[in-house]
Amino acid sequence: MITSAPSLSQREYQKWYSPALKRDMEMLVFGKKGMPVLFFPTRSARFYDMENWKIIDAMSGKIAAGQVQVFCVDSIDKESFYSDIPPQERILRHLEFEQYILEEVVPFIRKRNKKGKLAVTGCSLGAFHAVNIGLKHPTVFSKIVGMSGRYDLTKSLPFFDDLFDGYFDENVYFNMPNRFVPGITDEVLLNQLRQLDITIVIGRDDPFLPDNEQLSASLNAIGVPHHFYIWNEEAHRPRYWRQMVKLYL
């Protein structure tokens, strides 16, 4: 449930039945105008956690000034990456979530906000969602900000498992940025990616640092400009993300 009082008067709750996911999905919208920002929650978190963790408060000045409008979507990670279903079904459920974002959420945003640019962002696993969908659909999104993200969920790390239990197929490949980015050769796609405003942020002591360094190196190798920032300490907590959104959104 939503535990924090709304910090902004420009706050709206939305809920509808998703044909792609065959279930109700919820969302919070903050602001009335400005650059639209699609915000993914962290691992298995909910659409209201960015508000509860005061990350929306950190953006309140820009929201109130009409500089940004934030759309906080819900997560289905417990039905996909963190479910007990077979791994091939986990990636298919994730693709249904992506379909929901592209065919339902983005049109909803565009109906509310006609501004040309659309940013996508997230923290931790939310950063994975943001970077993955942003790089796959560079004509839909114009700005990507990934904070404390992990960009290959098939790699086992200390305290973080391979989320596909060793399973690998084409769907998995094309949804892991550190897998598919090095293989991008299509000039049309490369030119589209080079128009994006991309920011990747990670903490020096974060276990995902090598993953971020690999993504940055891969983007450099295919000539896609981006910003890559390494913060002191682990920087994988809401108090850091509150600072990051002020700087990079």
Side-chain angles (χ1 to χ4, degrees), residues 11-202:
R11 178 187 187 276
E12 179 184 350
Y13 169 78
Q14 286 285 334
K15 178 179 179 180
W16 69 79
Y17 179 82
S18 165
L21 295 172
K22 297 179 175 57
R23 54 165 283 188
D24 289 337
M25 292 295 289
E26 298 171 279
M27 176 194 302
L28 283 175
V29 183
F30 298 92
K32 299 296 183 182
K33 60 180 182 179
M35 180 180 68
V37 178
L38 171 58
F39 214 131
F40 286 100
T42 61
R43 181 182 67 182
S44 303
R46 300 300 308 278
F47 66 100
Y48 47 74
D49 282 319
M50 294 303 118
E51 180 181 35
N52 284 352
W53 295 340
K54 307 299 182 184
I55 293 170
I56 296 299
D57 277 355
M59 305 172 70
S60 62
K62 292 181 179 180
I63 294 171
Q67 296 175 355
V68 295
Q69 184 180 24
V70 185
F71 298 80
C72 294
V73 295
D74 214 350
S75 162
I76 68 155
D77 296 329
K78 291 180 179 178
E79 300 173 22
S80 58
F81 300 136
Y82 287 90
S83 73
D84 293 327
I85 61 177
Q88 60 268 37
E89 295 179 23
R90 293 174 207 163
I91 193 64
L92 292 176
R93 186 59 172 162
H94 166 72
L95 289 173
E96 291 174 343
F97 179 64
E98 183 177 278
Q99 181 184 356
Y100 156 73
I101 296 295
L102 294 173
E103 297 182 5
E104 300 177 46
V105 174
V106 170
F108 173 82
I109 293 173
R110 286 310 187 192
K111 186 175 181 180
R112 293 298 191 88
N113 190 316
K114 306 298 184 183
K115 195 170 180 68
K117 294 184 176 182
L118 173 57
V120 60
T121 189
C123 311
S124 194
L125 191 64
F128 161 83
H129 285 297
V131 170
N132 186 50
I133 200 169
L135 293 178
K136 287 172 60 181
H137 300 279
T139 61
V140 175
F141 303 97
S142 56
K143 181 180 180 68
I144 303 170
V145 179
M147 297 171 277
S148 308
R150 175 188 180 190
Y151 302 113
D152 185 353
L153 308 182
T154 69
K155 286 170 53 177
S156 293
L157 300 169
F159 308 109
F160 295 94
D161 295 332
D162 168 4
L163 298 186
F164 296 95
D165 305 323
Y167 176 81
F168 194 79
D169 66 10
E170 188 175 71
N171 286 329
V172 175
Y173 173 86
F174 283 110
N175 283 278
M176 301 297 127
N178 276 346
R179 297 277 189 168
F180 72 75
V181 168
I184 297 175
T185 58
D186 181 81
E187 284 300 324
V188 174
L189 177 56
L190 286 170
N191 287 332
Q192 292 169 346
L193 289 170
R194 289 165 186 158
Q195 304 307 309
L196 293 174
D197 179 356
I198 303 172
T199 298
I200 307 296
V201 194
I202 191 73

